[in-house]
Amino acid sequence: MRIIDKIIIHCTATPFGRDVNAAEIDLWHRGRGWKAIGYHYLVKLDGTIEAGRPERQIGAHCRGQNARSIGIAYVGGIDARGKCADTRTDAQKKSLLSLITTLLDKYPQARVFGHRDFSSKECPCFDATGEYYALARK
């Protein structure tokens, strides 16, 4: 089993209200030459959590951090003007919290970060590290 010490939150960088699924993102990522979807989980607009890559496999979601992390993306992240924004629905927020809590129970040494903590990108368009900090400090 892989050692997991990070849970990294992403957004799909899709416009507000446009729902996508893991199969569609899998096609996008394969189109970039990856072997499969890079994220381990996707949280859709209605809060549905879809599996991506199996947790036992290294993801392709955050350069330099993939070997020891789980990648979660929520659908959205772009507002009506095309700018980075926290577009999470209430259902997405609830599902993200539940999924992160479950993963932290499974990987108690892990901490939660946003993709932007390891990159010059704005992803996930909110402060995931700050929002989920207390969860990982139980």
Side-chain angles (χ1 to χ4, degrees):
M1 180 176 255
R2 295 189 307 128
I3 295 171
I4 302 299
D5 59 11
K6 295 175 192 72
I7 297 167
I8 302 175
I9 311 302
H10 303 263
C11 65
T12 58
T14 49
F16 176 74
R18 178 179 171 215
D19 210 5
V20 295
N21 60 36
E24 188 172 355
I25 294 171
D26 183 60
L27 289 174
W28 298 348
H29 288 181
R30 287 176 189 271
R32 297 175 91 178
W34 301 351
K35 67 180 180 179
I37 186 173
Y39 310 119
H40 295 93
Y41 295 98
L42 177 70
V43 181
K44 296 181 64 177
L45 294 177
D46 67 0
T48 300
I49 298 169
E50 292 188 341
R53 264 189 209 201
E55 288 180 28
R56 70 182 180 281
Q57 291 181 5
I58 294 173
H61 57 90
C62 188
R63 186 179 305 267
Q65 303 300 320
N66 292 316
R68 295 174 61 116
S69 67
I70 298 292
I72 303 170
Y74 76 91
V75 174
I78 303 296
D79 67 15
R81 299 175 321 239
K83 302 290 183 190
C84 181
D86 182 359
T87 62
R88 293 175 296 160
T89 65
D90 288 341
Q92 284 176 308
K93 289 178 182 179
K94 183 177 178 183
S95 291
L96 273 167
L97 181 61
S98 176
L99 177 57
I100 291 166
T101 300
T102 298
L103 289 169
L104 287 171
D105 286 344
K106 188 172 182 179
Y107 306 107
Q109 70 280 13
R111 299 294 173 252
V112 182
F113 298 92
H115 185 196
R116 70 187 192 176
D117 294 318
F118 304 102
S119 154
S120 61
K121 298 179 179 189
E122 295 179 86
C123 175
C125 300
F126 74 98
D127 180 13
T129 305
E131 185 166 327
Y132 300 118
Y133 178 82
L135 290 178
R137 301 291 183 214
K138 289 181 180 179

